[in-house]
Amino acid sequence: MSEIDAARVFQALGDATRRDMVERLTETPMSVSALAAPYDMTLTAVGQHLAILEAAGLVTTEKQGRVRVCKADTRGLSVLQNWLLDRRPPLERMLDRLGDSLDES
Amino acid sequence: MSEIDAARVFQALGDATRRDMVERLTETPMSVSALAAPYDMTLTAVGQHLAILEAAGLVTTEKQGRVRVCKADTRGLSVLQNWLLDRRPPLERMLDRLGDSLDES
DNA sequence: GAAATAGTGAAGTTTAAACTTGACTATATG
DNA sequence: CATATAGTCAAGTTTAAACTTCACTATTTC
């Protein structure tokens, strides 16, 4: 049910505007207009970026009246974190797994 | 002299072929031809992907005779890791910093 | 030293991403 | 209820990324 894959997350964060949006939203939630303010592009374009971020599990939005409030979503970030853990050098991974199995015993 | 920015790393990993290349190279180093084998594209295209991965600090290559040997480079990955750490929820970050300052005392 | 192997370089094509325009809907405010 | 605000939708344009072709160089191997 997760639906979130590393592909989408990386693609989403590959764009400077979207990365900046995520950075700002991890500081504080805000409306689409507030989010759009710093960028020299139309609201439509910002809405399109937002859709990509939502699909990647990096942002959630909720409509309150005529305002859409955007918040950072940690799910996309944790997909990233897991991908990173899997790409650590094989030796480190082996030690990790050893550690895990000791923890379980 | 780091030169490696999150922008390049994310953009590099936004492409499925390049992500797969990094995944394979973290398992074992190999030549450009070996790297290219699974993909339905020309050697030239693979070389272009490789150049992007090198610029992002995700791969290093070294020419040995007529063969170019490619290895995973951890620098790009650690840029990613640091970006991720900075995007954890503000509360967690505060606790982290608190932990760090206690560690130092 | 001829032929095969491994890769490189410049230049063009194709495909996909980013962005715009203009018309539209829904909610709020005087 | 008229006007402004906040955002959305469909469709098209522009720009940039991915990939190709073909010609070429450097290193092996026979």
Side-chain angles (χ1 to χ4, degrees):
Chain A
M1 227 240 255
S2 164
E3 292 266 14
I4 304 174
D5 54 349
R8 277 170 194 246
V9 180
F10 279 119
Q11 267 182 324
L13 293 173
D15 180 84
T17 303
R18 287 193 292 263
R19 210 165 41 252
D20 192 61
M21 286 177 171
V22 169
E23 291 175 1
R24 290 170 57 220
L25 288 175
T26 54
E27 296 299 324
T28 177
M30 65 186 90
S31 70
V32 176
S33 308
L35 192 63
Y39 313 122
D40 184 21
M41 66 180 71
T42 61
L43 249 196
T44 302
V46 170
Q48 287 163 356
H49 281 306
L50 218 35
I52 291 169
L53 290 172
E54 279 197 78
L58 288 161
V59 167
T60 55
T61 70
E62 190 195 353
K63 199 135 189 187
Q64 292 175 4
R66 66 181 168 181
V67 172
R68 177 171 298 277
V69 179
C70 312
K71 303 184 198 197
D73 183 353
T74 55
R75 293 177 308 152
L77 296 182
S78 64
V79 166
L80 248 176
Q81 180 66 62
N82 288 332
W83 186 90
L84 259 183
L85 285 175
D86 287 347
R87 259 80 240 166
R88 287 162 65 198
L91 177 59
E92 280 186 52
R93 279 213 300 291
M94 267 194 288
L95 293 173
D96 279 355
R97 279 196 292 267
L98 179 61
D100 290 350
S101 53
L102 287 174
D103 288 350
E104 281 160 19
S105 60
Chain B
M1 248 300 156
S2 161
E3 292 264 16
I4 304 173
D5 54 351
R8 275 169 195 249
V9 180
F10 279 119
Q11 268 183 322
L13 293 173
D15 180 83
T17 302
R18 287 193 295 262
R19 211 165 40 250
D20 192 62
M21 288 177 169
V22 170
E23 291 175 2
R24 290 170 57 217
L25 289 175
T26 53
E27 296 300 324
T28 177
M30 66 186 88
S31 70
V32 175
S33 308
L35 191 63
Y39 313 121
D40 183 22
M41 68 180 71
T42 62
L43 249 195
T44 303
V46 170
Q48 288 164 356
H49 282 306
L50 218 36
I52 291 170
L53 289 172
E54 280 197 79
L58 288 161
V59 167
T60 56
T61 71
E62 189 194 354
K63 197 135 190 188
Q64 291 175 6
R66 66 179 167 179
V67 172
R68 177 170 297 279
V69 178
C70 313
K71 303 185 196 195
D73 183 353
T74 55
R75 293 178 309 151
L77 295 183
S78 65
V79 166
L80 246 177
Q81 180 68 62
N82 289 331
W83 186 89
L84 258 183
L85 285 175
D86 287 347
R87 259 80 240 167
R88 286 164 64 200
L91 176 60
E92 279 186 54
R93 278 214 302 290
M94 266 193 289
L95 292 173
D96 280 354
R97 279 195 292 268
L98 179 61
D100 290 351
S101 53
L102 287 174
D103 287 349
E104 282 160 18
S105 60

